[in-house]
């Protein structure tokens, strides 16, 4: 279940209440007349089954409540109510299959912001991966994958393509390109420093690396894994199963490929630099393509189920 808290101008309260009452899957409706002060108006509370929430939110936006008032949505972790159980049974479909497009857009918008924190995480992840490729240490590679925040912008691009939101697409693409460019440049400097103090050597980079050699040797399996991970990551976002994102993060070689490209570039190894760049681009393409197709499929299947 989801909990909605609305602030509605007095003249729009009845319209909002009627919309809630006729939406299948809603319950626990409360109206607090004159309770709101900023903005002034009434407070309307209700619970709604997840599978009915997207239609209700669209209707409330059509009433311009996102402009004249406020629409807030919260997850209800526990609801001991026969009415709530009945509302969930009456709502069409399954809650796990429902996509809250407004929530998804807002989440990807936040995750795809080119912020200092985003750049810091991506750079640190790339530096950790740089240590992993030089030492041929798979544990460091996995750790770097888990730290990297690059799935946010990739999901933002997919969401923007399906929802036709060019601003979100531009924002996500900027975060992705600028983020990786900055991380690679800073990791090149990090690699030069580590070489100067004797912790990195070119012999380590170009020697036998059975654990990490895959990061500069892209093949069809790289693309297949990226597609599968992109689909899994998108499903985890739309179904609120955020725990699956950790598994997605350690399934793709975006950050390790960027790290290997940076270290190889610091030593002038163009072969590994180019191979790592191909690996990076292949993974980015696979994740974005899979994310977009997954969202389109979810949208189509949900529309068919409602019909």
């Amino acid at each position: 279940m989801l909990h909605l808290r609305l602030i509605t101008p007095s003249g729009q309260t009845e319209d909002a209440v009627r919309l809630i009452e006729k939406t299948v899957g809603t319950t626990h409706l409360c109206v607090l007349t004159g309770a709101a002060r900023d903005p002034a108006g009434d407070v309307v509370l209700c619970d709604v089954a997840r599978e009915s929430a997207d239609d209700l939110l669209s209707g409330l936006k059509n009433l311009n409540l996102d402009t004249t008032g406020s629409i807030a949505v919260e997850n209800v972790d526990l609801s001991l109510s026969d009415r709530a159980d009945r509302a969930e049974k009456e709502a069409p479909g399954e809650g796990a299959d429902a996509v809250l497009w407004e929530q998804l857009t807002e989440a990807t918008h936040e995750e795809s912001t080119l912020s200092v924190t985003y750049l810091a995480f991506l750079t640190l992840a790339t530096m950790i991966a740089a240590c992993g490729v030089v030492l041929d240490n798979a544990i460091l590679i996995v750790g770097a994958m888990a730290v990297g925040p690059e799935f946010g912008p990739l999901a933002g691009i997919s969401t923007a393509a399906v929802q036709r939101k060019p601003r979100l697409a531009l924002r996500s693409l900027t975060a992705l390109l600028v983020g990786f460019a900055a991380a690679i440049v800073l990791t090149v400097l990090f690699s030069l420093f580590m070489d100067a103090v004797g912790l990195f050597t070119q012999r380590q980079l170009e020697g036998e690396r059975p654990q990490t050699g895959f990061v500069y040797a892209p093949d069809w399996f790289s693309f297949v894994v990226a597609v599968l991970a992109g689909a899994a990551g998108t499903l985890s976002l739309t179904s609120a199963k955020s725990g699956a994102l950790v598994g997605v993060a350690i399934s793709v070689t975006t950050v390790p490929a960027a790290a290997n490209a940076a270290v190889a570039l610091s030593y002038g190894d163009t072969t590994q630099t180019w191979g790592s760049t191909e690996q990076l681009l292949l993974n980015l393409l696979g994740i974005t393509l899979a994310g977009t197709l997954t969202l389109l499929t979810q949208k189509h299947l949900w529309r068919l189920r409602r019909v």
Side-chain angles (χ1 to χ4, degrees):
M1 295 292 289
L2 298 174
H3 179 68
L4 268 64
R5 185 182 72 250
L6 312 176
I7 296 179
T8 64
S10 300
Q12 293 181 280
T13 301
E14 286 303 317
D15 292 336
V17 169
R18 278 196 295 270
L19 176 62
I20 293 171
E21 289 176 334
K22 75 176 184 180
T23 300
V24 177
T26 59
T27 187
H28 302 155
L29 176 61
C30 301
V31 180
L32 307 177
T33 305
R37 293 292 181 267
D38 184 19
D42 305 325
V43 175
V44 179
L45 308 174
C46 74
D47 291 340
V48 58
R50 182 181 175 87
E51 47 269 48
S52 298
D54 194 60
D55 287 340
L56 179 55
L57 291 175
S58 297
L60 293 172
K61 287 191 68 177
N62 289 336
L63 295 176
N64 294 321
L65 289 185
D66 55 326
T67 302
T68 60
S70 170
I71 305 173
V73 183
E74 300 173 333
N75 283 308
V76 178
D77 295 326
L78 177 63
S79 180
L80 303 178
S81 167
D82 288 341
R83 289 180 177 274
D85 294 341
R86 187 161 58 249
E88 287 189 316
K89 289 179 181 179
E90 292 173 351
E94 295 293 333
D97 297 333
V99 180
L100 299 182
W101 293 103
E102 291 296 331
Q103 185 184 55
L104 179 62
T105 301
E106 182 65 23
T108 52
H109 182 276
E110 292 179 2
E111 293 295 326
S112 60
T113 300
L114 185 62
S115 63
V116 174
T117 301
Y118 169 82
L119 289 174
F121 270 115
L122 188 56
T123 300
L124 290 172
T126 308
M127 290 180 178
I128 293 172
C131 295
V133 297
V134 172
L135 297 175
D136 193 34
N137 189 316
I139 295 176
L140 291 177
I141 292 294
V142 171
M145 289 175 175
V147 172
E150 72 280 6
F151 190 79
L154 291 170
I157 294 174
S158 297
T159 303
V162 174
Q163 292 293 89
R164 299 178 183 178
K165 294 183 179 292
R167 287 189 177 182
L168 178 58
L170 180 60
R171 186 188 192 97
S172 302
L173 188 61
T174 300
L176 194 67
L177 297 180
V178 174
F180 269 111
I184 289 174
V185 170
L186 292 173
T187 303
V188 168
L189 299 177
F190 172 73
S191 178
L192 293 173
F193 169 77
M194 295 292 279
D195 179 76
V197 299
L199 295 176
F200 281 8
T201 65
Q202 188 169 1
R203 181 176 58 82
Q204 288 175 297
L205 178 71
E206 297 180 352
E208 290 294 325
R209 289 162 49 194
Q211 299 293 324
T212 61
F214 67 92
V215 299
Y216 62 90
D219 54 22
W220 278 107
F221 279 107
S222 301
F223 184 74
V224 169
V225 171
V227 168
L228 296 176
T234 303
L235 285 173
S236 72
L237 284 178
T238 57
S239 62
K241 303 292 184 182
S242 58
L245 279 177
V246 177
V248 172
I250 60 177
S251 300
V252 293
T253 54
T254 48
V255 166
N260 199 86
V263 177
L265 187 61
S266 71
Y267 286 115
D269 187 335
T270 56
T271 300
Q272 285 201 34
T273 299
W274 179 244
S276 300
T277 303
E278 284 185 331
Q279 181 76 275
L280 173 61
L281 294 177
L282 196 62
N283 275 268
L284 295 178
L285 175 62
I287 294 172
T288 305
L289 180 62
T292 303
L293 292 177
T294 300
L295 290 176
L296 287 172
T297 301
Q298 286 181 289
K299 194 172 186 177
H300 179 66
L301 290 178
W302 186 254
R303 190 174 296 160
L304 288 179
R305 172 165 291 187
R306 288 176 56 197
V307 172

